[in-house]
């Protein structure tokens, strides 16, 4: 039986106790706009966590509060369960490259702690939202957020090897284990990743870790979105291995030209050589290259992905080689609606974020509609108030064929539909 | 026995070759790679496309008849052990490569395509499919998906679940649905990730989008000899501690080396206590730096001999030797049980010492081959089925080893799956609540319990009232199945 640290470290652990995670800026724990008279529970142990999700009310789970508006608005929330009190590192085994961390620990603090052993959890989503609230590990997993280096290291689902969770009926259970290689039983952690708090309260996750790269080098190539994909293929065919390949463009210019940033991680001499070879490849194609000024990956691009206070972020998923259509469609729609937009693409993965600013909520919704009309899956992330009055957060079209299976899973795990009802795809 | 009415229906769905009802022909499908468990299926169907698979499953559902899917039959946990009153669905005739899409680094295949056929198909584009189970020449992609297969290179590259972009499946009611759309993230709940590794108990896979990688620029391989596996384990710890993630780290103990050399003559030192194979791949400059550091670390720990295998022929020889390990056991013993437990790598020395004690107590030999980087052991419990009581002792030892791995903080199975073989040990690893939640999810997808029942989760029928050391399968006691 795998023992669970119920708020206490294992006796034999090299346990690290992290300071409590920062609470969201709305200090009294008020839930999303428009809700009043909502109680807030802040469990500090596994038992309290299980207790907190039971009962009869509709529950919204909250970590740092940085992604509360992902998915559709939850219906009639009566209680918020805040994970800020689940803020301990349960175990860190550097020699085994694994760690178990409670859901309320901020990702930034986790990385700082792991960094002391020259390791990291290989996820680089925005660590803070526009208001400075810190993203928690539980929230990153529940939202399946990711960053540019997903190209090399994968998404949250590829890092989580185990999880402890509480169901709406108070059942506490564990999935996976403490070892990276494990196929015993169903991989329920996959269901939890991206479930936006609609299936269970994630109490802790066990994750695989990576050694911190010694060095990093970045080259920028000036390209249109279509050229960006071709450059990525050329770089990959040349057997260069970028950790990230992100194209960022303001969509005001005619051809959506912007910068393709290629990041290489590894030993100092190796990354310098890789970046040089990539720059040469680009120059051979007649493309302008540059090196970044300032904290590109940690700052500029993170803000771009997270979106600002008055911006709507739309997450689009395509097959990589048609990704350029996203920028083109978004540019046209933004021009029609009289709003500003930029597009941030993980070129090799076909994952894009179109960020819309200015104008009214209806204009932002119009951009979303245009992207969907062009055949792309486009889901809302953070957004300005009112967008939900004009468009569904998930889709305009038919639900995926597998949706009845998703509903069946939801019904088995949350039969009374109390965990963020209505938040998930198809109103689950 | 399956209902006659169902057999008549099946005859209208598949061609003549595709329906097998004669007893001596059904017997061909009575076991998979775990030959110790055999059970004749009620009927066998061999469909040729997804529509036929769906129609077969729908027919089974209408007749409330269980079904078991089978790929190449190389599985090692009796995942494809048939149900005596069920239909065995063989997927080997779904073997087309449907789409090669190099610009998007992906390929669409039917489940009967073999693992190595995938890399062969995309080789001309400078691409390959990373998960490489040792049986890759024969094992099927569908089977890989069912078991979430790993292989020697999974420490760096992950498992099947990290390389599947989409699955077309037939659900237990006979509907065809896509899980994932071939892009990076499936919409909604990650049912794609749930089905991978579900061992045929949730759905039958009929198409798979696989993720491809560009071939690394360089590969460097060395073999280091040590006085014992414990020392080899120290070398692995040193390598990981230095921040190097090799593409593969494999270890064999002396008994395994002897078998491999007798069989494949791969150049391992037969007097070494342990042989450690370390392979790094990636950009040339990174590889050269990393392998040099690996060599130094191995020598620091006390490696008695280092051999580089840098030309492709030599490297292939090393890997052939390693991958032939199970088959090579035939040189040492008439029979073996192989286990698949995982332990935290730091517990390797302790685990091997305990296995050695347990083996001595049982009077049996255990050869050890393992994925040293991720702690996945393959203890091969050798026995002679002609010696009275030896098979029973061997099975008991094999189960005890799997459960020891759990006690040390690891897992019952790293890649072979639970199947029927380890279902009764699941309560050693998971609580009642854990297993109950798994059962709830399974019921959500398969409410009537027709998809490969009696696999993964323990049942009183399978395991008796209390889980514990091996007891004969009830079907065995009833004389329906037999242990060989």
């Amino acid at each position: 039986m795998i023992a669970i640290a119920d708020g206490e470290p294992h006796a034999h652990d090299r346990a690290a106790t992290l300071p409590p995670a920062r609470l969201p800026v709305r200090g009294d724990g008020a839930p999303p706009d428009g809700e009043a008279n909502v109680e807030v529970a802040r469990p500090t142990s596994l038992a309290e966590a299980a207790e907190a999700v039971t009962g009869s009310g509709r529950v919204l789970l909250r970590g740092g509060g940085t992604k509360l508006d992902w998915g559709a608005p939850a219906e009639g929330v009566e209680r918020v369960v805040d994970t800020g009190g689940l803020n301990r590192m349960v175990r860190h085994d550097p020699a085994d490259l694994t760690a178990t961390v409670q859901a309320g620990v901020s990702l930034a603090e986790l990385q700082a702690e792991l960094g002391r052993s020259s390791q990291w959890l290989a996820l680089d989503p925005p660590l803070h939202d526009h208001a400075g609230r810190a993203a928690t590990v539980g929230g990153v997993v529940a939202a399946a957020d990711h960053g540019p280096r997903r190209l090399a290291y994968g998404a949250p689902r590829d890092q989580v090897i185990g999880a402890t969770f509480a169901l709406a009926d108070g059942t506490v259970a564990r999935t996976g284990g403490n070892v990276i290689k494990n196929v015993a039983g169903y991989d329920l952690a996959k269901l939890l990743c991206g479930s936006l708090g609609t299936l269970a309260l994630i109490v802790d996750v066990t994750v695989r870790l990576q050694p911190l790269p010694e060095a990093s080098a970045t080259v920028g190539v000036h390209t249109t979105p279509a050229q960006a994909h071709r450059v990525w293929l050329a770089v990959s065919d040349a057997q260069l291995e970028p950790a990230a390949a992100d194209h960022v463009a303001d969509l005001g210019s005619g051809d959506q030209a912007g910068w393709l940033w290629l990041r290489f991680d590894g030993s100092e001499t190796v990354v310098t050589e890789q970046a040089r070879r990539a720059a040469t490849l680009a120059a051979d194609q007649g493309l302008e290259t540059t090196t970044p000024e300032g904290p590109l990956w940690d700052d500029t691009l993170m803000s771009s992905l997270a979106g600002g206070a008055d911006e709507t972020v739309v997450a689009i998923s395509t097959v990589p080689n048609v990704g350029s259509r996203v920028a083109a469609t978004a540019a046209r729609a933004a021009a029609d609606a009289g709003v500003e937009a930029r597009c941030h693409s993980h070129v090799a993965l076909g994952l894009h974020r179109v960020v819309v600013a200015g104008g009214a909520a209806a204009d932002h919704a119009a951009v979303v509609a245009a992207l969907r009309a062009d055949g792309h899956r486009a889901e809302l992330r953070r957004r300005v108030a009112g967008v939900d009055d004009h468009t569904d957060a998930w889709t305009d079209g038919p639900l995926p064929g597998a949706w009845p299976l998703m509903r069946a899973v939801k019904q088995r795990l949350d039969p009374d539909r109390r965990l963020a009802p209505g938040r998930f795809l198809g109103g689950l | 026995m399956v209902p006659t009415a169902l057999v008549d229906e099946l005859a209208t769905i598949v061609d003549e070759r595709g329906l097998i009802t004669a007893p001596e022909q059904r017997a061909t499908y009575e076991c998979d790679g775990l030959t110790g468990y055999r059970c004749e299926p009620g009927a066998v169907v061999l469909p040729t496309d997804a529509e036929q698979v769906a129609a077969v499953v729908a027919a089974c559902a209408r007749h409330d008849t269980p079904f078991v899917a089978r790929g190449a039959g190389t599985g090692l946990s009796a995942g494809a052990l048939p149900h005596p009153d069920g239909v065995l669905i063989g997927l080997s005739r779904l073997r087309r490569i449907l789409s090669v899409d190099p610009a998007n680094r992906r390929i669409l295949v039917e489940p009967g395509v073999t693992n190595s056929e995938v890399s062969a198909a995309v080789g001309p584009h400078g691409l390959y499919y990373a998960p490489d189970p040792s049986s890759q020449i024969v094992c099927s992609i569908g089977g890989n998906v069912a078991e979430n297969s790993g292989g020697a290179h999974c420490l760096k590259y992950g498992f099947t679940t990290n390389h599947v972009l989409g699955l077309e499946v037939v659900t237990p009611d006979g509907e065809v649905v896509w899980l994932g759309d071939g892009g990076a993230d499936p919409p909604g709940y990650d049912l794609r990730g749930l089905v991978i590794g579900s061992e045929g108990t949730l759905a039958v896979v009929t198409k798979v989008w696989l993720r491809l990688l560009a071939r690394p620029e360089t590969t460097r391989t060395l073999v280091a000899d040590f006085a014992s596996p414990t020392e080899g384990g120290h070398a692995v710890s040193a390598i990981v501690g230095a921040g190097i993630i090799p593409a593969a780290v494999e270890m064999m103990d002396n008994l395994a080396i002897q078998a491999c050399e007798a069989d494949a003559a791969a150049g391992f030192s037969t007097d070494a206590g342990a042989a450690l194979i370390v392979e790094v791949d990636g950009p040339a400059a990174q590889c050269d730096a990393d392998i040099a550091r690996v060599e130094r670390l191995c020598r620091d720990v006390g490696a008695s001999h280092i051999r580089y295998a840098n030309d492709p022929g030599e490297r292939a020889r090393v890997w052939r030797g390693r991958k032939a390990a199970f088959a090579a056991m035939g040189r040492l013993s008439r029979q073996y049980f192989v286990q698949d437990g995982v332990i935290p790598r730091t517990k390797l020395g302790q685990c091997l010492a305990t296995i050695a004690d347990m083996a001595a107590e049982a009077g049996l030999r255990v050869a050890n081959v393992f994925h040293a980087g991720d702690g996945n052991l393959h203890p091969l419990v050798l026995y002679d089925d002609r010696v009275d009581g030896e098979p029973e002792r061997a099975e008991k030892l094999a189960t005890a080893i799997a459960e020891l791995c759990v006690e040390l903080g690891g897992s019952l199975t790293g890649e072979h799956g639970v199947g029927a073989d380890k279902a009764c040990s699941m309560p050693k690893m998971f609580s009642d609540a854990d297993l109950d939640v798994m059962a709830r999810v399974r019921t959500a997808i398969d409410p009537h319990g027709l998809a490969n029942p009696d696999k993964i989760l323990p049942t009183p029928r399978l395991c008796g009232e209390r889980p514990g050391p091996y007891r004969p399968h009830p079907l065995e006691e009833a004389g329906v199945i037999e242990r060989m």
Side-chain angles (χ1 to χ4, degrees):
Chain A
M1 191 85 75
I2 298 170
I4 296 166
D6 186 14
E8 295 298 311
H10 290 273
H12 59 281
D13 277 357
R14 276 183 302 284
T17 304
L18 301 176
R22 281 187 287 279
L23 288 172
V25 167
R26 266 172 275 166
D28 65 353
D33 299 342
E35 300 285 347
N37 300 320
V38 171
E39 68 176 279
V40 179
R42 192 170 182 275
T44 60
S45 70
L46 180 57
E48 287 178 8
E51 174 73 30
V53 290
T54 54
S56 57
R58 288 178 291 267
V59 174
L60 180 69
L61 307 176
R62 181 180 73 204
T66 60
K67 294 176 279 289
L68 286 177
D69 50 3
W70 288 34
E75 300 159 10
V77 170
E78 290 150 317
R79 185 189 327 143
V80 166
V81 176
D82 186 302
T83 63
L86 300 168
N87 58 4
R88 300 169 88 87
M89 173 91 94
V90 175
R91 66 193 303 153
H92 174 204
D93 296 312
D96 288 315
L97 289 169
T98 59
T100 300
V101 57
Q102 291 190 321
V105 172
S106 78
L107 181 58
E109 284 170 320
L110 175 63
Q111 303 289 33
E113 176 60 29
L114 297 174
R116 298 200 337 224
S117 305
S118 297
Q119 297 182 338
W120 71 303
L121 170 58
L123 293 172
D124 61 343
L127 294 173
H128 300 90
D129 68 4
H130 61 89
R133 302 184 194 100
T136 63
V137 173
V140 167
V141 169
D145 201 6
H146 56 88
R149 282 189 283 178
R150 177 171 169 171
L151 172 59
Y153 299 107
R157 77 169 74 87
D158 302 305
Q159 318 299 334
V160 177
I161 60 176
T164 309
F165 55 95
L167 298 179
D169 65 0
T171 301
V172 169
R174 190 153 166 79
T175 180
N178 286 334
V179 286
I180 294 166
K181 198 141 177 217
N182 178 12
V183 294
Y186 297 109
D187 193 352
L188 301 181
K190 297 288 188 289
L191 282 181
L192 296 176
C193 289
S195 61
L196 290 176
T198 60
L199 294 179
L201 168 61
I202 298 169
V203 178
D204 67 48
V205 289
T206 304
V207 289
R208 63 176 302 168
L209 306 174
Q210 294 284 345
L212 270 174
E214 177 190 309
S216 177
T218 298
V219 60
V221 186
H222 199 247
T223 65
T224 64
Q227 283 170 335
H229 187 255
R230 286 197 291 275
V231 169
W232 145 250
L233 284 181
V235 162
S236 173
D237 288 341
Q239 295 173 313
L240 300 173
E241 297 182 12
D246 277 19
H247 185 259
V248 190
D250 285 323
L251 299 181
S253 75
D255 59 359
Q256 301 95 50
W259 289 98
L260 169 66
W261 299 107
L262 298 167
R263 174 183 183 144
F264 299 92
D265 285 350
S267 312
E268 182 78 53
T269 48
V270 174
V271 300
T272 308
E273 191 222 350
Q274 295 255 298
R276 186 191 53 73
R277 281 169 63 186
T280 305
L281 267 176
D284 288 347
Q285 291 191 28
L287 298 168
E288 184 194 342
T289 63
T290 188
T291 49
E293 291 165 14
L296 176 76
W297 298 104
D298 293 339
D299 201 337
T300 316
L301 294 186
M302 286 298 115
S303 310
S304 159
L305 285 172
D310 298 315
E311 296 183 326
T312 293
V313 179
V314 189
I316 298 116
S317 173
T318 70
V319 169
N321 69 351
V322 302
S324 56
R325 283 186 14 208
V326 171
T329 302
R332 205 163 41 243
D336 290 346
V339 293
E340 289 167 12
R342 65 177 184 276
C343 185
H344 184 146
S345 297
H346 302 319
V347 174
L349 300 170
L351 297 172
H352 318 268
R353 293 208 181 160
V354 168
V355 184
V356 185
D363 301 320
H364 293 208
V367 175
V368 176
L371 287 162
R372 290 172 177 166
D374 198 32
H376 307 299
R377 176 149 62 96
E379 296 168 359
L380 298 182
R381 298 289 181 252
R382 73 147 287 98
R383 65 205 79 141
V384 302
V387 174
D388 293 290
D389 297 334
H390 301 279
T391 189
D392 186 87
W394 292 93
T395 180
D396 287 341
L399 295 171
W403 187 81
L405 297 173
M406 298 180 205
R407 182 181 53 192
V409 168
K410 168 74 170 177
Q411 282 171 345
R412 288 281 169 176
L413 298 182
D414 180 22
D416 297 330
R417 204 167 160 267
R418 289 194 302 105
L419 298 182
R423 185 176 188 187
F424 211 68
L425 175 67
L428 289 177
Chain B
M1 295 291 297
V2 302
T4 317
L6 173 56
V7 175
D8 293 342
E9 265 195 65
L10 296 174
T12 68
I13 299 169
V14 293
D15 61 21
E16 220 178 296
R17 261 186 68 196
L19 177 61
I20 298 173
T21 52
E24 67 279 7
Q25 291 173 21
R26 279 185 282 132
T28 309
Y29 297 88
E30 67 183 356
C31 68
D32 59 18
L34 193 65
T35 56
Y37 293 106
R38 297 174 187 237
C39 177
E40 236 174 59
V44 177
V45 287
L46 304 175
T48 56
D49 62 31
E51 288 67 40
Q52 288 180 15
V53 175
V56 166
V57 172
C60 289
R62 273 194 300 279
H63 293 270
D64 203 37
T65 297
F67 57 89
V68 175
R70 174 190 171 103
T74 56
L76 292 170
S77 57
L81 176 72
H83 192 289
D85 301 317
V87 175
L88 191 292
I89 307 175
L91 280 309
S92 56
R93 293 172 83 193
L94 275 80
R95 53 181 312 131
R96 294 174 297 170
I97 292 174
L98 298 173
S99 172
V100 179
D101 187 3
N104 291 307
R105 300 296 195 244
R106 60 179 193 162
I107 182 174
L108 180 66
V109 301
E110 289 187 314
V113 172
T114 69
N115 178 288
S116 55
E117 276 174 340
V118 176
S119 288
V122 301
H125 301 281
L127 304 174
Y128 79 114
Y129 178 62
D132 62 338
S134 299
S135 55
Q136 66 187 141
I137 300 170
V138 291
C139 65
S140 71
I141 290 298
N144 289 172
V145 169
E147 303 296 336
N148 190 16
S149 303
H153 289 78
C154 61
L155 174 63
K156 180 176 176 185
Y157 289 105
F159 323 103
T160 301
T161 195
N162 309 113
H163 297 269
V164 170
L165 296 172
L167 293 173
E168 180 193 76
V169 304
V170 175
T171 56
D173 57 358
E175 293 296 312
V176 179
V177 295
W178 273 96
L179 308 178
D181 54 12
D185 286 328
Y189 295 137
D190 189 1
L191 298 176
R192 178 187 77 185
L194 177 70
V195 165
I196 300 168
S198 65
E199 307 189 24
T201 64
L202 299 181
V204 180
V205 173
T206 50
K207 290 185 182 62
V208 191
W209 273 112
L210 295 172
R211 183 165 77 96
L212 303 169
L213 301 177
R215 281 270 176 210
E217 185 175 44
T218 302
T219 306
R220 294 263 179 268
T221 311
L222 65 71
V223 181
D225 294 343
F226 293 93
S228 75
T230 305
E231 255 137 68
H234 290 155
V236 180
S237 294
I239 292 166
V240 170
I244 300 171
I245 301 289
V249 187
E250 299 286 295
M251 193 164 1
M252 298 193 288
D253 72 0
N254 183 264
L255 205 47
I257 292 169
Q258 285 181 37
C260 287
E261 279 311 288
D263 194 66
F268 293 102
S269 315
T270 50
D271 58 356
L276 187 72
I277 305 170
V278 183
E279 185 161 284
V280 297
D281 66 19
Q286 190 73 61
C287 280
D288 290 340
D290 284 350
I291 203 68
R293 278 198 296 165
V294 167
E295 180 187 342
R296 200 168 55 249
L297 291 166
C298 286
R299 291 198 189 281
D300 287 348
V301 168
S304 56
H305 178 65
I306 304 266
R307 166 167 73 103
Y308 277 88
N310 279 338
D311 71 76
E314 189 56 32
R315 182 176 311 122
R317 211 172 135 229
V318 167
W319 282 109
R320 209 162 41 238
R322 160 61 186 91
K323 292 188 178 187
F326 290 10
M329 287 302 138
R331 301 272 168 181
L332 300 182
S333 171
R334 279 176 58 87
Q335 307 276 2
Y336 67 81
F337 284 115
V338 61
Q339 271 298 348
D340 179 48
V342 185
I343 46 160
R345 209 181 28 72
T346 46
K347 298 272 173 41
L348 182 68
Q350 178 185 353
C351 187
L352 291 177
T354 308
I355 289 176
D357 288 344
M358 289 160 66
E361 204 179 304
L364 297 167
R365 292 174 300 168
V366 177
N368 285 292
V369 174
F370 40 98
H371 308 293
D374 54 41
N376 189 188
L377 310 176
H378 290 309
L380 296 131
V381 179
L382 309 178
Y383 70 96
D384 187 336
D385 57 342
R386 297 168 303 188
V387 174
D388 204 31
E390 196 155 290
E392 286 74 19
R393 286 205 325 274
E395 178 130 27
K396 210 168 152 184
L397 175 57
T399 299
I401 291 172
E403 296 182 354
L404 168 68
C405 292
V406 175
E407 280 162 37
L408 292 174
S411 171
L412 288 173
T413 172
E415 54 191 3
H416 296 171
V418 175
D421 184 48
K422 302 175 205 68
C424 302
S425 296
M426 286 287 275
K428 295 283 182 183
M429 186 167 170
F430 296 102
S431 70
D432 287 346
D434 301 341
L435 297 174
D436 174 67
V437 177
M438 288 192 212
R440 288 196 225 182
V441 171
R442 183 173 185 169
T443 307
I445 313 288
D446 181 23
H448 303 289
L450 298 179
N452 211 7
D454 301 329
K455 307 290 171 65
I456 303 186
L457 297 179
T459 61
R461 192 180 98 99
L462 197 62
C463 308
E465 290 300 323
R466 275 190 337 274
Y470 171 76
R471 280 190 293 287
H473 193 283
L475 293 177
E476 202 184 310
E477 283 177 321
V480 177
I481 67 174
E482 57 177 359
R483 265 191 329 121
M484 304 295 286

